[in-house]
Amino acid sequence: MRVLFVTGPTRESWYQLVPLCQAVRLAGHQVIVAGHEDVLPVVVSSGLPAVAVSATTLHAGLVDRSGEQVEIPSDAAERDLAIGRIIGRFAARSLDGLSSIVEQWRPDRVVGDAWAVAAHLVADRYGIPYVRFGVDIATPVAQTLAAIMELGPELEKWGRHDLSTPWLSISAAPPALRPADAPPSEPMRCLPVETQVALEPWMYLRDSRPRVVVSVHDPSLPWALFGPARLAELTVGLPGLGAEVVVAGSPAALEQTPPLPAGVRVGQAPLAVLAADCDLVVHQGYPDTILTCLDKGVPQVFLPAHPGFVEPAEQLTELGAARVTCAASSAPEHVTDLCGQVLADSALRETARRMHGTYDLPDPRRLVDLITAEIDGDGQGEVAE
Amino acid sequence: MRILFVAGGTSGVIFSIVPLAQAARDAGHEVVMAGPENVMATVTTAGLAGLPVTARKMLDTLRYDDGSYRTIPTDLHERYIFNGRCFGRYASWCLEALLTFADQWRPDIVVGGSLVFAAPLVARYAGVPYVRQAVDMGEPRTIDLAAAAELGTWLGRLGYHEMPRADLFIDVCPPSLRETDAPPAELMSYVPFATKGPIEPWMYTRGSRPRLLVSAGSRVSRDRDFEVLSGLVTKASALDVELFVAAPPAVAEALRPLPDNAWAGWVPLDVVAPTCDVVLSHAGGTTVLGNLHYGVPQVLIPYLPYALGFTRRVVEYGAAVMVPPEDDSPENVVEACRAVLDDSSYRRRARDVAAEMSRLPGPAEVLATVERLALAHGPRGRG
């Protein structure tokens, strides 16, 4: 069977799809990953065949269809709609590229990231069973609906009134964070995946001090209110806690990180390797970072990069596995204090460690049979123009 | 059984769902029609129990909370989104009271008009099937999608990841005029309903001359539209017709003095239309459908962009002539009316549609499908 995977608009959203993609391939099926030029190097580095959909970017969605620059409103409901429309415009600009790939390769299944709305529409257009894959963290339903709304003209053009109900839906949301409004789905264990580099001893060896990892994230979201520079500024006092401080991230994130105090380690290092043996991860609240921290059972301090990231941070704070503070209004001293409290809080550490045990979900191999199951009267891969 | 009808915020869209509600009531079911306070008279004068669910009006969706007006976009895509969000906003105002009522009254099934986006939510909340009834011949689909997005906060609060989909779609568009990609539907004959008043003999009897009815809708209060209307009255006086202008009292007054062959004021469309030879309107959905029902050819000026789709279909079918809004000079409009009067093919095609509509199942027959759906789901949604 030919299975087309379609990435979301950002690199980090691709990572969560990797284990499923590899599981399908290892089961003997043909797999191709369609993604944007931006994302392709990361896909290729995961050892999977990748094809470019288009050169558009999520940031290009800041210009609307009539050429107007859009602002991100501060009102929460309006902001969700604006963000959804950016995702929708990204999808609209992906439809031609994706349609060509589907026409040429004729997949039997399309598996798309929840943000790859174009994948869903193209699968519907060609009558191919669509499998939705979502992590379902920090994605308000209004964003998804606004993305679909933005595609109204294309739905109309292709004779559709709405997206279909996915043939299969898979969710890698950790049960503790799964929102009530996430679509009904088959659960899947989410395994942390990231771009690998040759390891150096400092990455997997710690000294006797407490180890704090500051995870700077790719500036991938146009609506993020702050990036690596602000995170570095806010965490400048951490060495004062007597801790070993490591600042790690992708090359793009490190490029935006200002010079750091002597004694702070900076480098591109896999977070999963660092988090496996550390006492605290300070980060901007991106879902891929959260998932890695949960999987490793490590305490977290959130400085959410935008208001949409606050909800999971608060959920984990309520569960006693994390703390959150506002990146815009906090001073470095406050962040240092907060991190000091977390390092001294053995109950929090224990709760975070136990979160790891909540990951008792089917692993990706168990989903392969569902994805490739035969369908009654299946017009598999038929191009229905 | 208990059937909850959820009405829209304007009379036009309420008229469309009245026949099915009346059929349900006449079959002995308990029927309640919920809607905003300002349309309660429309509901209750249709002989239906009315439940007010908000003090706000549909027109309030055009304003911000501080009372200032929102800017209506000119770009078509943005405009559809704007319109859809207004419908979503309106639904959000109705929901609180609707959900409370659903808890208290426990409906077995919910029926809502196409643009009434509170209906699917209250149905899902009550755990009962949702029936969607078309109120006219369809809207641009971005309107539905934008209403859903506007209701995203509500959906999140209720724990739903999308707008609940209809368990049954009842369409009132005659098959020949449906879009080729229209969703699967149970088709129902459209029965015109309008606010009633005492009628007079001239309303249901024809004179010796052809009758031209102008259904001005609510848009005539605007200056520009009034000029079109008064210009039209002047021009039409040259035609050998009886001219009726259906208009609110203030507009009718402003049109006076009228030429000998003209009359302006309240016109019960469902009584007068059968006596008419051509009806001119702004292509409001229920007006167009109502005239098709009576087999009357039409001249349509689709001032609102959403009306363009079905206007084109009726024109293509041969039952109407379109005057593009940008060409709406009195000369052009009178010319279009004359064309329809002089060419019997428009009348023939209009009657073809009317015949097609009359062969569709009526509200009482379609009600049986609604009943089956509710029964299959089990009593009070607990089955």
Side-chain angles (χ1 to χ4, degrees):
Chain A
M1 184 173 280
R2 284 189 297 272
V3 184
L4 179 70
F5 282 78
V6 184
T7 74
T10 62
R11 294 182 213 192
E12 63 267 19
S13 61
W14 156 248
Y15 292 133
Q16 287 118 40
L17 208 43
V18 173
L20 186 62
C21 195
Q22 283 175 338
V24 172
R25 203 175 70 86
L26 293 174
H29 299 286
Q30 292 182 57
V31 166
I32 284 184
V33 181
H36 291 77
E37 287 181 7
D38 255 14
V39 182
L40 284 201
V42 191
V43 178
V44 172
S45 75
S46 325
L48 288 155
V51 57
V53 172
S54 85
T56 195
T57 62
L58 204 49
H59 282 81
L62 285 169
V63 176
D64 75 13
R65 286 167 182 260
S66 51
E68 298 286 320
Q69 189 75 27
V70 298
E71 302 279 325
I72 307 293
S74 55
D75 172 76
E78 292 296 326
R79 189 179 52 237
D80 282 344
L81 295 191
I83 290 172
R85 295 191 66 180
I86 292 173
I87 298 168
R89 283 191 279 273
F90 176 84
R93 290 160 185 158
S94 312
L95 290 171
D96 288 346
L98 212 45
S99 294
S100 313
I101 293 165
V102 165
E103 281 179 23
Q104 289 159 359
W105 195 56
R106 304 200 168 209
D108 302 297
R109 301 286 181 272
V110 175
V111 184
D113 178 89
W115 271 19
V117 195
H120 194 166
L121 178 50
V122 169
D124 283 356
R125 179 188 183 191
Y126 292 100
I128 303 166
Y130 181 70
V131 181
R132 175 197 186 272
F133 175 86
V135 172
D136 300 330
I137 298 178
T139 329
V141 62
Q143 279 181 19
T144 310
L145 295 173
I148 300 169
M149 159 185 100
E150 188 62 38
L151 289 173
E154 285 76 17
L155 282 160
E156 179 140 17
K157 188 170 86 187
W158 290 343
R160 315 204 65 88
H161 290 77
D162 200 346
L163 294 179
S164 64
T165 300
W167 179 70
L168 174 67
S169 189
I170 297 170
S171 174
L177 296 182
R178 188 177 160 76
D181 59 4
S185 300
E186 296 292 330
M188 187 190 98
R189 181 180 174 188
C190 190
L191 300 151
V193 169
E194 54 197 311
T195 298
Q196 298 300 327
V197 294
L199 298 182
E200 293 171 34
W202 66 267
M203 297 177 190
Y204 54 88
L205 293 178
R206 57 185 291 175
D207 56 30
S208 56
R209 294 173 294 171
R211 178 175 248 212
V212 179
V213 174
V214 177
S215 175
V216 289
H217 202 277
D218 248 22
S220 56
L221 301 179
W223 50 87
L225 298 179
F226 82 100
R230 176 74 179 149
L231 186 59
E233 195 181 307
L234 286 173
T235 52
V236 75
L238 295 187
L241 293 171
E244 178 198 4
V245 178
V246 176
V247 176
S250 68
L254 292 173
E255 207 169 279
Q256 294 197 2
T257 307
L260 294 161
V264 173
R265 276 240 191 241
V266 186
Q268 187 191 358
L271 182 61
V273 172
L274 297 171
D277 189 12
C278 85
D279 300 286
L280 170 63
V281 176
V282 184
H283 63 86
Q284 295 160 264
Y286 285 81
D288 57 318
T289 314
I290 300 177
L291 290 168
T292 301
C293 293
L294 285 178
D295 190 66
K296 299 301 172 199
V298 59
Q300 306 172 55
V301 166
F302 284 78
L303 294 157
H306 78 98
F309 283 171
V310 172
E311 193 184 7
E314 286 182 341
Q315 283 173 303
L316 284 172
T317 301
E318 199 152 303
L319 291 166
R323 299 292 292 275
V324 55
T325 185
C326 173
S329 60
S330 291
E333 302 74 43
H334 174 67
V335 174
T336 308
D337 277 357
L338 190 64
C339 292
Q341 288 166 27
V342 171
L343 289 175
D345 189 339
S346 57
L348 191 147
R349 183 169 33 239
E350 183 53 25
T351 307
R353 199 185 59 75
R354 274 190 284 109
M355 296 294 293
H356 175 67
T358 64
Y359 264 53
D360 189 19
L361 298 173
D363 77 40
R365 284 170 303 174
R366 310 257 299 273
L367 279 305
V368 175
D369 284 349
L370 289 178
I371 293 174
T372 56
E374 290 296 324
I375 309 161
D376 289 339
D378 188 1
Q380 284 177 21
E382 221 167 90
V383 177
E385 257 304 71
Chain B
M1 63 182 59
R2 291 184 166 174
I3 309 183
L4 173 60
F5 284 80
V6 189
T10 55
S11 304
V13 297
I14 297 174
F15 292 162
S16 304
I17 63 167
V18 161
L20 187 61
Q22 288 177 332
R25 178 205 58 192
D26 295 348
H29 298 299
E30 291 177 64
V31 171
V32 167
M33 188 177 283
E37 280 172 16
N38 69 321
V39 302
M40 278 299 111
T42 307
V43 174
T44 53
T45 55
L48 298 164
L51 176 81
V53 287
T54 175
R56 299 172 87 169
K57 303 179 183 69
M58 185 65 207
L59 280 176
D60 295 339
T61 62
L62 298 175
R63 296 167 184 254
Y64 292 102
D65 285 340
D66 68 6
S68 63
Y69 276 93
R70 298 168 188 270
T71 313
I72 300 179
T74 47
D75 176 78
L76 208 52
H77 176 60
E78 295 296 331
R79 176 138 182 201
Y80 292 157
I81 287 176
F82 178 88
N83 289 147
R85 292 191 62 185
C86 285
F87 284 112
R89 198 171 293 131
Y90 172 72
S92 72
W93 296 342
C94 299
L95 271 170
E96 208 80 62
L98 271 174
L99 299 185
T100 304
F101 180 68
D103 280 335
Q104 295 162 338
W105 195 63
R106 313 292 305 258
D108 295 293
I109 193 161
V110 175
V111 182
S114 274
L115 296 170
V116 181
F117 297 96
L121 292 176
V122 68
R124 167 84 186 266
Y125 174 80
V128 300
Y130 159 53
V131 179
R132 180 179 206 194
Q133 194 210 298
V135 291
D136 53 33
M137 288 186 285
E139 293 81 25
R141 39 209 96 182
T142 300
I143 288 183
D144 282 15
L145 304 173
E150 178 71 24
L151 285 166
T153 314
W154 259 104
L155 289 165
R157 199 191 306 176
L158 292 168
Y160 310 155
H161 70 284
E162 61 177 6
M163 285 292 276
R165 300 185 187 222
D167 297 289
L168 170 67
F169 175 49
I170 300 172
D171 200 356
V172 293
C173 185
S176 299
L177 297 177
R178 292 192 91 207
E179 288 182 283
T180 48
D181 59 11
E186 178 104 357
L187 297 184
M188 183 172 84
S189 168
Y190 179 83
V191 182
F193 175 85
T195 308
K196 296 291 182 276
I199 56 172
E200 296 169 36
W202 66 263
M203 292 177 179
Y204 52 88
T205 50
R206 286 174 61 94
S208 54
R209 288 182 291 181
R211 287 193 154 186
L212 164 59
L213 171 65
V214 179
S215 170
S218 53
R219 292 177 52 84
V220 288
S221 55
R222 294 213 199 150
D223 295 346
R224 179 170 165 279
D225 292 331
F226 183 77
E227 270 167 38
V228 173
L229 193 61
S230 61
L232 187 64
V233 170
T234 314
K235 298 283 170 196
S237 64
L239 292 173
D240 187 26
V241 295
E242 282 184 281
L243 175 69
F244 296 101
V245 181
V251 176
E253 194 50 49
L255 285 172
R256 296 190 174 104
L258 288 160
D260 290 344
N261 65 340
W263 189 94
W266 178 70
V267 175
L269 293 177
D270 54 339
V271 177
V272 176
T275 71
C276 291
D277 296 281
V278 57
V279 176
L280 165 70
S281 76
H282 66 294
T286 49
T287 308
V288 175
L289 266 178
N291 290 311
L292 289 174
H293 172 90
Y294 293 114
V296 187
Q298 305 179 56
V299 173
L300 302 172
I301 316 175
Y303 286 113
L304 294 172
Y306 77 84
L308 196 60
F310 61 75
T311 296
R312 284 203 179 116
R313 302 203 298 276
V314 181
V315 168
E316 232 161 76
Y317 186 86
V321 166
M322 175 169 82
V323 176
E326 61 275 16
D327 299 335
D328 67 351
S329 68
E331 291 79 10
N332 287 344
V333 174
V334 167
E335 195 47 49
C337 292
R338 196 197 299 272
V340 171
L341 288 171
D342 289 350
D343 183 345
S344 63
S345 75
Y346 294 105
R347 164 67 80 178
R348 208 163 50 244
R349 290 305 267 165
R351 285 188 174 153
D352 288 346
V353 181
E356 189 180 298
M357 290 169 86
S358 71
R359 285 194 297 268
L360 294 174
E365 290 159 86
V366 172
L367 176 69
T369 309
V370 175
E371 290 166 338
R372 273 197 302 277
L373 183 62
L375 288 172
H377 198 265
R380 297 280 184 276
R382 286 189 296 263

